[in-house]
Amino acid sequence: MTKLINLNIFKRFFSSSSAGGVILLLCVAISLTIANIGWADSFNGLLQMKLGRDFGAIHLEYPMITWINDGLMAVFFLLVGLEIKREIIEGELSSFRQASLPVLAAIGGVAVPALLYASLNASNPQTAAGWGIPMATDIAFALGIISLLGSRVPNGLKIFLAALAIVDDLIAILVIAIFYSSEIHLIYLAYAAGIMSLLIIFNRCGVKNIYCYILPGAAMWYLVHHSGIHATIAGVLTALALPTNEDDTESPLEKLEHSLTVPVNFFIMPLFAIANTCITFESGMIEGLTGSIGMGIIMGLFLGKPAGIFLMSWIAVKLKISELPDQTSWPHVLGLGILGGIGFTMSIFIALLSFRQPELQVQAKFAVLTASLLAGALGYAILYLYDRRSKKS
């Protein structure tokens, strides 16, 4: 009887909307523990172990961390792209006024943090290059935190955050490509554009077989990866090409979305969290928070992100360019804007591109971690408390 009760509790937990977020946070705690009990070098060595094979001109042998961040996360972006396209066709983003809001909010959430960082570091050539660090929202962790709230937040707010984070990441990818990449291979991008054109033709011709999209999408991932642009964009592009419909018939897009939800939430995102939060606390980190790098990143992510997202959303709604999602209020937008300050992996990635000196990289990584933890905790608290207050009144 006890075993049956325990099994029911187990099933109930994994079927809840917050299960993915709880597991994600647990994986962060495990990764930080590994990094600070003397196992960091061994763990990082494991992540650098090469997997795959080269087949002549086709290079498919990469370190494990590359497969996770560029390969598995492309599947995560594929799922998010599927959800957003479905909402554009038949849901919360189906009108221009609804769809324009996350785009405009993302632009505000990118511009204000970059300007804040630049204003604090303009006089120092060594640190000025880090202006792109506080621009990025970590979509995996932001969605993981909001999933902890379950039904306490309206579904439209979750879609708003997902769409905003996608646009945010696309802007970050463009910034990396233009300002931080040493070389872009246009021939690979041209081949990738050809495959995307093929997927659009399949869609227009009514091709329903999912594999006619997934297999070319995998080839597009390979080409984008070798172009010098972050390969996860291939997941979004593949998702946009998949066909869907507005009636109750299950479309290829919805079939793929349903099949990806469990592996993404309970395998890909936890693995991503463990691999990317292995940060060893070192001497000088705390002091670095008060320097121009630390203050620029923390102010950019923790203050600039919510300010940019909230103000741009407010302006867009007041000018009647956009409208808030169903059942969403301004306190919801404020909480979402603060969650947008979870920079984490993309911000750390830009920090590694911005600075060559190890000591500056350490300062930047710890500032990103600090700002992200603050943003995650405060954003969750605001949305949770607002829900409780709304139910009481």
Side-chain angles (χ1 to χ4, degrees), residues 39-237:
W39 295 356
D41 290 341
S42 300
F43 185 69
N44 287 324
L46 176 66
L47 292 176
Q48 293 304 320
M49 183 177 70
K50 291 199 171 182
L51 300 174
R53 286 185 60 188
D54 289 344
F55 301 91
I58 301 176
H59 180 61
L60 284 172
E61 185 179 26
Y62 304 113
M64 187 187 300
I65 187 67
T66 301
W67 281 116
I68 293 170
N69 287 349
D70 289 6
L72 291 180
M73 284 306 289
V75 180
F76 169 76
F77 273 83
L78 171 62
L79 175 61
V80 174
L82 293 172
E83 292 172 348
I84 289 174
K85 180 171 180 180
R86 176 172 49 77
E87 293 296 334
I88 289 172
I89 299 298
E90 54 181 301
E92 296 285 351
L93 303 175
S94 55
S95 72
F96 172 81
R97 292 183 67 192
Q98 291 172 316
S100 62
L101 185 64
V103 175
L104 295 172
I107 292 170
V110 163
V112 176
L115 290 171
L116 269 175
Y117 182 96
S119 67
L120 290 171
N121 289 271
S123 60
N124 188 343
Q126 272 194 318
T127 64
W131 59 270
I133 299 170
M135 287 172 52
T137 294
D138 192 302
I139 185 171
F141 282 102
L143 291 178
I145 294 294
I146 207 168
S147 72
L148 289 171
L149 292 157
S151 59
R152 292 186 178 92
V153 294
N155 186 60
L157 191 72
K158 298 173 186 176
I159 299 300
F160 180 15
L161 177 59
L164 182 150
I166 283 279
V167 176
D168 187 293
D169 269 2
L170 293 177
I171 295 172
I173 288 168
L174 287 174
V175 166
I176 291 169
I178 296 168
F179 297 100
Y180 291 101
S181 294
S182 55
E183 188 175 3
I184 298 294
H185 300 284
L186 295 178
I187 186 67
Y188 283 110
L189 284 180
Y191 289 146
I195 290 180
M196 185 62 196
S197 300
L198 178 66
L199 294 181
I200 293 171
I201 291 170
F202 284 166
N203 182 299
R204 295 294 184 189
C205 292
V207 176
K208 302 291 185 184
N209 191 312
I210 290 173
Y211 292 103
C212 290
Y213 298 90
I214 296 301
L215 295 178
M220 180 163 59
W221 173 88
Y222 177 84
L223 293 166
V224 174
H225 180 74
H226 281 272
S227 73
I229 292 176
H230 207 273
T232 50
I233 194 174
V236 178
L237 295 174

Side-chain angles (χ1 to χ4, degrees), residues 11 53 63 205 228 271 294 332 373 377:
K11 286 181 177 177
R53 286 185 60 188
C205 292
L271 189 60
H332 284 131
L373 290 173

Side-chain angles (χ1 to χ4, degrees), residues 31-32 34-35 39-40 43-44 47 273-280 365:
S31 187
L32 288 171
I34 289 171
W39 295 356
F43 185 69
N44 287 324
L47 292 176
I274 288 177
N276 287 281
T277 54
C278 189
I279 299 173
T280 304
K365 285 198 289 186

